[in-house]
């Protein structure tokens, strides 16, 4: 009779710890899935930004040079 109560308390604590562990495992799995989804979204976002950069800011070698100006420091004659 003396050992009954402590054993019961230990069993209750053990069940509580098992429940918390299960909850942590479930939350960890949810976070893994969310991280994978966010990683995919980030990759898509980077790809879109790359396309925008290519269209709006082409490299200098591809861009059209500015036409030369006739200004050589001398006043133009009419």
């Amino acid at each position: 009779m003396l050992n009954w109560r402590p054993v019961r308390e230990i069993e209750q604590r053990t069940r509580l710890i098992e429940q918390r562990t299960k909850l942590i495992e479930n939350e960890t799995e949810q976070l893994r899935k969310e991280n994978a989804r966010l990683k995919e979204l980030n990759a898509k976002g980077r790809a879109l930004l790359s396309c925008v950069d290519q269209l709006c800011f082409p490299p200098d070698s591809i861009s059209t040079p500015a036409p030369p100006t006739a200004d050589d420091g001398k006043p133009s004659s009419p």
Side-chain angles (χ1 to χ4, degrees):
M1 192 71 160
L2 293 176
N3 288 332
W4 179 79
R5 186 169 178 94
V7 169
R8 181 179 168 120
E9 288 176 8
I10 292 171
E11 289 173 349
Q12 286 176 339
R13 280 190 247 154
T14 302
R15 279 193 298 272
L16 183 61
I17 291 170
E18 288 171 352
Q19 288 172 351
R20 288 180 180 166
T21 302
K22 198 62 149 168
L23 180 63
I24 291 170
E25 289 172 357
N26 290 340
E27 289 174 349
T28 301
E29 184 59 29
Q30 288 176 350
L31 289 172
R32 281 190 183 118
K33 289 177 182 178
E34 181 68 9
N35 284 341
R37 187 182 74 82
L38 291 173
K39 190 175 185 178
E40 184 179 329
L41 286 173
N42 283 338
K44 288 179 181 180
R46 282 191 298 275
L48 287 172
L49 284 175
S50 175
C51 290
V52 168
D53 284 344
Q54 289 174 4
L55 291 172
C56 295
F57 309 105
D60 290 338
S61 62
I62 297 176
S63 63
T64 308
T69 58
D71 187 19
D72 58 359
K74 298 179 183 176
S76 60
S77 42

